Amino acid sequence: MKTRLIDWPTFIISFVVILGVVIPLIIFPEAGSELVGQLNDFVSHRFGFLYLLMGLAIFFFLIFVAFSQNGQVKLGEEEEPPEFSTPAWAGMLFSAGIGSSILYWGTIEWAFYYQGPPFGIDPTESQLETIQWASTYGIFHWGPIAWAIYALPAVPMSYFFYVRKKPIIKISETLRPLLKGYADTMIGKIIDVLFIFGLLGGAGTTLALGTPLISRGISDLTGFPDDMLLRTIVLLVVTVIFAISAYVGLKEGIKRLSNLNLGLSIVLLIIVLVTGPTLFILETTTNSIGLILDNFFHMSTWTEPFAMVQGIEETGFPEAWTVFYWAWWLVYAPFVGLFIARISRGRTIRQVIIGSMVYGSIGCLLFFGIMGNFGLFLQLSGEYDVVNMLNEQGAPAAVIAIINQLPFSSVMVAIFVFLSVVFLATTFDSSSYILASVTQKRLEGDEPLRWNRMFWAFTICLLPLTLMYLGGLETLQTASIVGGFPLIFIMFLIAWSFMKTSTRDLIIDEQYEPKTIILDMKNIREKLKRRRKKKPNDEE
Ligand code: NM2
């Protein structure tokens, strides 16, 4: 084992912090859960507005960068082609950033909004409005702002790695221009550890949602009871699959699994679109796009401030949904950013930004538009009472019940379950790959050490598994969302650090000429004259 490559302080502190949170939760589950719950209420109620402002600010910042000179910088040498083809690149970034949660929320999120709509709408009085928002809000929560949160860390990380040729991709490294020598001290380590802790909790949330979904599907197919034993087996099998993929490495394992993921997703979506209510799906999805564009600012800043004036009780919608989602995307962002950076050699910064935001949002739109509206159709047409199933037996049961309404239902459930496994695996193999990279001083060859990849693969699975048994998994998720709070400020710092460094580099390299287009009017006039001779009515 080449232990000299390991960044021991970061490695050990991360592990100790993780154990420091998990072990008390195992010993004092109730007190722990209460404390973490209170902290969460505090953060999401007091600082909910800050999350919303952060989302909007990141979105506009990246659009600005994409179209500024800083966005034209290429990540790599002049002649170098992109390392991965655009479809492979888009597929990998989608598969890494999106786990099985999209199958879960994409199919069922509408049913939550259907019962608890936003904007203080009364679901019994304004049914049409309720339905419209139910089919739309999920697309917003998985849309361009969310993807901008993912893309932000990718920009400085890839800049520092490919342009400034720093040997490692770490958050602390992107902050070096601001932190200076402090990047190598405890401050730098704490920043890296914060991200590792956040990712562990974000991944815990993913597993907590994905495992019951898969086990419900398997139980439906095989008749085995959907109990703890089945869930444990599911979790272990998934762990082994993604551990193998991480072991094989980025080029082979992760890319192959990601291709499988995309291929299967397309098959599932096409089948549901064609055999389901095609026109309804197309119309509602189109309608949602318009609704989001019309209400983009309202949705991204709605904090529910006037409930008491309206004489109604607060619904808690912004905290439970938009703020929670932004926080969840945020704890995943440094990891996905690192991963996007890792696969973006040879692209420009603009391509990275626009590519992640556009491909990512379109991918999510397809899932929410097709799977979600299929479920909504079942409800509205009276073919199947999804909401009742959700309220009686919970979300995993309701999702599987929706898939069961498709023709060849068993085959469809089998495809759905298999796809959930692959989606989980593709998110987790890249997480362990990245965790391993971050806990190393440098990479040898291009990849982090194998045993290090395996170590993180098992850590991010086994800890949530333990907590799942003890009922503390929810607490860990909440803890990580709360623990991710400082990331808001770190995001601000890395954006600043990137602008400062890249603008200075552009100036030093004398690339500050604004790219203005100067029209050659003489030439244009002459051409127009020639044309007028041919067509006498043409105006100048
Ligand atoms: N996000 C995209 O569980 C998953 O699908 C991983 C979740 C942050 C909501 C990411």
Side-chain angles (χ1 to χ4, degrees):
M1 279 202 299
K2 292 178 187 152
T3 46
R4 70 195 151 76
L5 290 181
I6 300 290
D7 175 358
W8 285 110
T10 311
F11 189 98
I12 292 171
I13 301 172
S14 319
F15 199 57
V16 169
V17 168
I18 290 167
L19 291 183
V21 174
V22 171
I23 292 175
L25 289 185
I26 293 176
I27 305 177
F28 310 107
E30 266 151 42
S33 130
E34 199 169 308
L35 176 70
V36 172
Q38 281 168 356
L39 277 176
N40 182 48
D41 275 354
F42 182 78
V43 170
S44 59
H45 280 89
R46 293 285 164 98
F47 297 103
F49 74 94
L50 206 58
Y51 278 95
L52 300 185
L53 288 178
M54 171 202 71
L56 210 54
I58 293 178
F59 177 77
F60 281 114
F61 171 70
L62 286 187
I63 303 262
F64 167 76
V65 172
F67 293 102
S68 71
Q69 242 187 348
N70 311 53
Q72 292 177 358
V73 175
K74 185 169 172 185
L75 304 165
E77 306 309 320
E78 208 180 330
E79 299 295 315
E80 199 173 22
E83 186 176 355
F84 296 98
S85 71
T86 302
W89 179 77
M92 277 160 92
L93 94 97
F94 190 79
S95 305
I98 299 296
S100 52
S101 312
I102 198 156
L103 295 171
Y104 185 106
W105 290 119
T107 315
I108 202 68
E109 194 160 320
W110 64 269
F112 287 86
Y113 303 146
Y114 186 80
Q115 303 184 82
F119 306 133
I121 294 168
D122 182 341
T124 44
E125 268 179 25
S126 329
Q127 231 210 336
L128 182 63
E129 252 188 298
T130 305
I131 295 169
Q132 293 220 48
W133 287 117
S135 72
T136 302
Y137 237 94
I139 299 177
F140 173 72
H141 286 146
W142 294 68
I145 294 192
W147 279 93
I149 298 177
Y150 266 6
L152 178 69
V155 170
M157 287 179 191
S158 45
Y159 185 78
F160 284 91
F161 193 64
Y162 298 117
V163 181
R164 304 202 104 230
K165 308 265 191 290
K166 296 278 175 190
I168 29 173
I169 320 187
K170 280 189 193 184
I171 307 198
S172 57
E173 198 51 52
T174 63
L175 288 177
R176 190 176 289 278
L178 299 181
L179 295 177
K180 308 256 161 43
Y182 289 110
D184 299 313
T185 62
M186 228 18 180
I187 298 183
K189 306 276 175 245
I190 290 174
I191 290 174
D192 290 330
V193 168
L194 256 174
F195 137 64
I196 294 175
F197 174 64
L199 176 57
L200 186 87
T205 311
T206 299
L207 276 183
L209 294 171
T211 316
L213 181 66
I214 295 170
S215 70
R216 176 74 195 204
I218 293 180
S219 146
D220 194 87
L221 287 170
T222 59
F224 286 136
D226 178 14
D227 54 10
M228 261 317 192
L229 177 67
L230 188 61
R231 290 184 184 185
T232 311
I233 297 173
V234 166
L235 203 54
L236 290 178
V237 170
V238 174
T239 313
V240 169
I241 294 178
F242 83 71
I244 293 174
S245 165
Y247 183 83
V248 175
L250 183 64
K251 292 226 170 70
E252 284 312 310
I254 298 181
K255 196 171 140 195
R256 227 182 260 172
L257 215 49
S258 140
N259 285 345
L260 176 66
N261 197 4
L262 279 205
L264 262 182
S265 299
I266 293 171
V267 170
L268 175 76
L269 292 176
I270 290 181
I271 295 179
V272 177
L273 179 64
V274 173
T275 62
T278 313
L279 194 58
F280 176 83
I281 290 177
L282 295 175
E283 285 184 353
T284 35
T285 310
T286 308
N287 187 59
S288 293
I289 297 176
L291 213 55
I292 291 181
L293 289 176
D294 252 4
N295 296 278
F296 183 76
F297 290 108
H298 192 188
M299 294 167 95
S300 50
T301 54
W302 181 56
T303 47
E304 196 180 26
F306 300 123
M308 64 187 188
V309 182
Q310 286 175 291
I312 51 173
E313 241 183 78
E314 276 196 19
T315 57
F317 185 106
E319 292 85 5
W321 292 105
T322 316
V323 172
F324 165 74
Y325 261 124
W326 283 188
W328 193 14
W329 286 85
L330 185 65
V331 287
Y332 260 99
F335 140 61
V336 182
L338 269 160
F339 188 77
I340 298 178
R342 179 64 196 80
I343 59 175
S344 297
R345 164 175 254 136
R347 295 181 178 273
T348 62
I349 289 181
R350 177 185 297 172
Q351 284 170 339
V352 171
I353 296 175
I354 304 287
S356 333
M357 277 160 67
V358 170
Y359 292 127
S361 304
I362 291 180
C364 293
L365 171 84
L366 291 178
F367 274 96
F368 276 79
I370 296 176
M371 304 306 290
N373 286 320
F374 171 60
L376 179 63
F377 180 81
L378 295 175
Q379 184 73 33
L380 297 181
S381 65
E383 263 177 54
Y384 187 80
D385 193 349
V386 180
V387 171
N388 183 44
M389 184 64 167
L390 171 68
N391 297 342
E392 300 269 303
Q393 295 198 31
V399 173
I400 298 297
I402 292 176
I403 306 301
N404 254 319
Q405 307 308 309
L406 289 163
F408 304 108
S409 57
S410 309
V411 180
M412 292 313 294
V413 172
I415 294 183
F416 190 82
V417 167
F418 186 66
L419 186 58
S420 310
V421 172
V422 182
F423 251 120
L424 262 187
T426 50
T427 302
F428 278 72
D429 60 3
S430 26
S431 318
S432 35
Y433 182 92
I434 288 302
L435 287 172
S437 318
V438 172
T439 48
Q440 285 192 200
K441 280 192 253 174
R442 61 194 154 80
L443 306 182
E444 204 175 60
D446 241 4
E447 311 230 323
L449 296 173
R450 275 198 169 144
W451 72 262
N452 197 10
R453 300 201 297 254
M454 292 302 98
F455 173 81
W456 288 107
F458 285 100
T459 306
I460 45 179
C461 258
L462 295 184
L463 286 180
L465 177 69
T466 321
L467 286 174
M468 201 161 86
Y469 268 106
L470 295 163
L473 189 50
E474 247 172 62
T475 316
L476 176 70
Q477 294 161 18
T478 325
S480 88
I481 302 278
V482 176
F485 183 62
L487 284 176
I488 296 186
F489 306 101
I490 295 179
M491 292 290 255
F492 170 73
L493 291 178
I494 55 178
W496 178 13
S497 175
F498 165 73
M499 281 315 273
K500 183 175 167 208
T501 317
S502 63
T503 308
R504 197 204 47 205
D505 291 350
L506 284 167
I507 292 175
I508 293 179
D509 200 34
E510 303 195 351
Q511 300 269 0
Y512 48 82
E513 289 275 305
K515 285 236 158 62
T516 30
I517 299 168
I518 299 172
L519 291 176
D520 181 353
M521 273 325 276
K522 212 170 135 217
N523 184 18
I524 295 178
R525 286 220 173 83
E526 255 162 38
K527 281 198 179 147
L528 279 173
K529 234 187 247 161
R530 257 180 268 144
R531 221 201 272 170
R532 227 175 296 135
K533 273 187 198 140
K534 278 193 213 144
K535 287 195 226 151
N537 288 335
D538 211 8
E539 280 176 29
E540 182 171 335

